[in-house]
Amino acid sequence: MGRIRILLVDDDRQNSELQRKFLEMEVYEVEYAENGRAGWEIYAASRPDLVLLNINMPLMNSFELARKIHEQDRDVLIFFLIDRTKKADRLKGNDYIPKPFYPEELIAKIRERFEHRQVSLPSRITIGQTIFDSNLSTIEYTGTVQHLSARQSEIFTILAQHICQTVERSYLLEHVWGNDSYANSLALNVQITYIRKMLEHDTSISIVSLKKRGYILKVNKE
């Protein structure tokens, strides 16, 4: 991957300029928008790799802007910048960074997310008798196609990168949600249940739980 291109959308211009300087010191390319509408226009023109989005945004709701962006590109990363007093569950599973934060925290988060993306699978692979398409976020078995949510696709991608190996819960939580909070741990349990339900007809593969440790995507030999 070349230089990571970032769009920062925040109506706090002074604070944003400081963030922008720190990011550019890390050799990221940064564009700035002071409201949601301008953010959408810049995104449509430049298609950045990452959008940093303040939760309170004039002229266009933050969630509306995120929805419009993901309609155009499901792979673009969005980090919501949210006040620590707000409830993170409003973000519906997206990545978030609580404010105030140190610039080093933001940079570490960006590095972690993009380093994870570099260890990638082919976009379409066969696991057991199931075909997984990470670009489309789908799994297909005997002609029946099911759609995974963005979170489910991320989880399944990580499990597929480590077939027949243990994937620690902490690893999944950090790489998919960004932290291992109790709420996120419960959400992981729910998402694993959904994925298992989708895979239940293919008896050649299974997701095995290791109590208080993690999961194994197992390919059963017949």
Side-chain angles (χ1 to χ4, degrees), residues 163-214:
I163 290 177
C164 296
Q165 300 177 34
T166 301
V167 179
E168 302 287 342
R169 287 182 62 85
S170 58
Y171 184 90
L172 285 167
L173 289 166
E174 288 294 335
H175 284 73
V176 177
W177 279 272
N179 65 74
D180 60 354
S181 70
Y182 179 70
N184 289 341
S185 184
L186 292 178
L188 173 58
N189 294 342
V190 171
Q191 297 303 331
I192 289 289
T193 299
Y194 282 133
I195 296 170
R196 281 188 173 130
K197 183 69 175 177
M198 294 181 188
L199 298 173
E200 65 181 358
H201 296 295
D202 185 355
T203 58
S204 67
I205 58 175
S206 59
I207 298 176
V208 178
S209 295
L210 302 177
K211 189 175 182 180
K212 295 184 179 181
R213 185 179 175 189

Side-chain angles (χ1 to χ4, degrees), residues 50-117:
L50 168 66
V51 180
L52 301 176
L53 183 57
N54 184 33
I55 199 69
N56 297 313
M57 190 61 54
L59 298 185
M60 182 183 291
N61 179 280
S62 302
F63 297 110
E64 174 67 11
L65 175 56
R67 183 188 64 79
K68 287 169 67 72
I69 289 173
H70 274 151
E71 284 179 352
Q72 296 295 315
D73 183 358
R74 289 177 59 89
D75 290 330
V76 67
L77 290 177
I78 296 178
F79 290 172
F80 283 95
L81 309 178
I82 181 172
D83 190 281
R84 289 180 188 271
T85 62
K86 303 292 184 181
K87 287 188 176 181
D89 57 8
R90 291 184 58 205
L91 302 185
K92 303 175 184 178
N94 288 283
D95 283 290
Y96 68 94
I97 300 176
K99 297 190 297 184
F101 54 82
Y102 292 107
E104 292 83 2
E105 293 180 73
L106 175 59
I107 290 167
K109 176 86 168 179
I110 293 171
R111 285 176 177 169
E112 183 271 329
R113 293 295 276 158
F114 280 96
E115 284 173 359
H116 166 59
R117 285 194 158 198

Side-chain angles (χ1 to χ4, degrees), residues 10-27:
D10 193 333
D11 56 335
D12 185 342
R13 179 179 287 274
Q14 182 177 5
N15 188 53
S16 296
E17 284 301 318
L18 291 174
Q19 292 178 25
R20 182 175 186 167
K21 288 179 181 179
F22 276 106
L23 291 167
E24 289 178 338
M25 287 174 62
E26 295 294 318
V27 202

